[in-house]
Amino acid sequence: MGGTHLRLAGTALTLAILPAALAGCGLGGEPKQPPKPTDGPAQVAATKSRERVQAYLDAVVAKDVDAGRGQLCAVMHEAFDAGATGPNGDFADHFKVPEAAITGVRSGPHGQEVDVSITVAVDSHKIARPLVFTVTRDGADWCISGEVPGSATRSAGPSVDPSPSRAS
């Protein structure tokens, strides 16, 4: 009976460690989920920039001046208020915006640069224009700090830095 007990004990031990051994080989056990990528600073910046510009484009399409102004850095408000609804402003009454799409986001020298293709209609005439918005961090929040005409070969030029300047 001593040999039987040893065989049973050996079999029991083998059965007890078999699932752990198989799991180590990738067999049996629970399937492991691939690691989820964490949102690093670059991904957060790109996401926040895309969100700000999309909200601005939605405001332009809806002709919601206050919503558009809310996407801009505080230092841009005075210039925005002076020109947003003027003859060449983004919110001018005679412009209609039937299409606006974000075409790319990249890091630039003054913040995140968000490339946009916007179609503007005046009466029956439509024209598509590229724009580049610069989005920067202002304290804990993100805001649009610049808007310039864009092209396939040109990146955003100088934009307004939302942080107060310090005199030396």
Side-chain angles (χ1 to χ4, degrees):
M1 193 148 164
T4 305
H5 282 8
L6 286 175
R7 260 186 286 151
L8 285 175
T11 303
L13 181 61
T14 302
L15 290 174
I17 65 169
L18 184 61
L22 291 175
C25 296
L27 301 173
E30 292 293 316
K32 290 187 177 181
Q33 297 295 323
K36 294 182 181 178
T38 58
D39 284 341
Q43 291 86 2
V44 170
T47 299
K48 295 293 185 180
S49 297
R50 183 179 288 275
E51 289 171 357
R52 281 295 182 174
V53 172
Q54 187 61 56
Y56 185 81
L57 295 174
D58 293 344
V60 170
V61 170
K63 298 289 186 195
D64 186 341
V65 177
D66 291 334
R69 186 179 196 269
Q71 305 312 311
L72 302 177
C73 296
V75 297
M76 299 268 306
H77 289 178
E78 188 176 327
F80 176 83
D81 293 344
T85 58
N88 294 317
D90 290 349
F91 294 84
D93 286 335
H94 60 282
F95 291 147
K96 302 293 180 230
V97 180
E99 294 178 50
I102 295 173
T103 59
V105 179
R106 67 186 174 282
S107 183
H110 301 287
Q112 294 293 307
E113 295 176 350
V114 181
D115 296 309
V116 172
S117 174
I118 189 164
T119 301
V120 178
V122 178
D123 297 324
S124 63
H125 302 288
K126 289 184 183 180
I127 188 163
R129 291 284 185 218
L131 294 174
V132 179
F133 289 91
T134 301
V135 181
T136 56
R137 193 168 191 155
D138 186 11
D141 207 359
W142 294 83
C143 56
I144 296 172
S145 60
E147 173 187 344
V148 296
S151 71
T153 59
R154 180 178 170 184
S155 64
S159 60
V160 177
D161 180 0
S163 59
S165 62
R166 294 188 180 125
S168 299

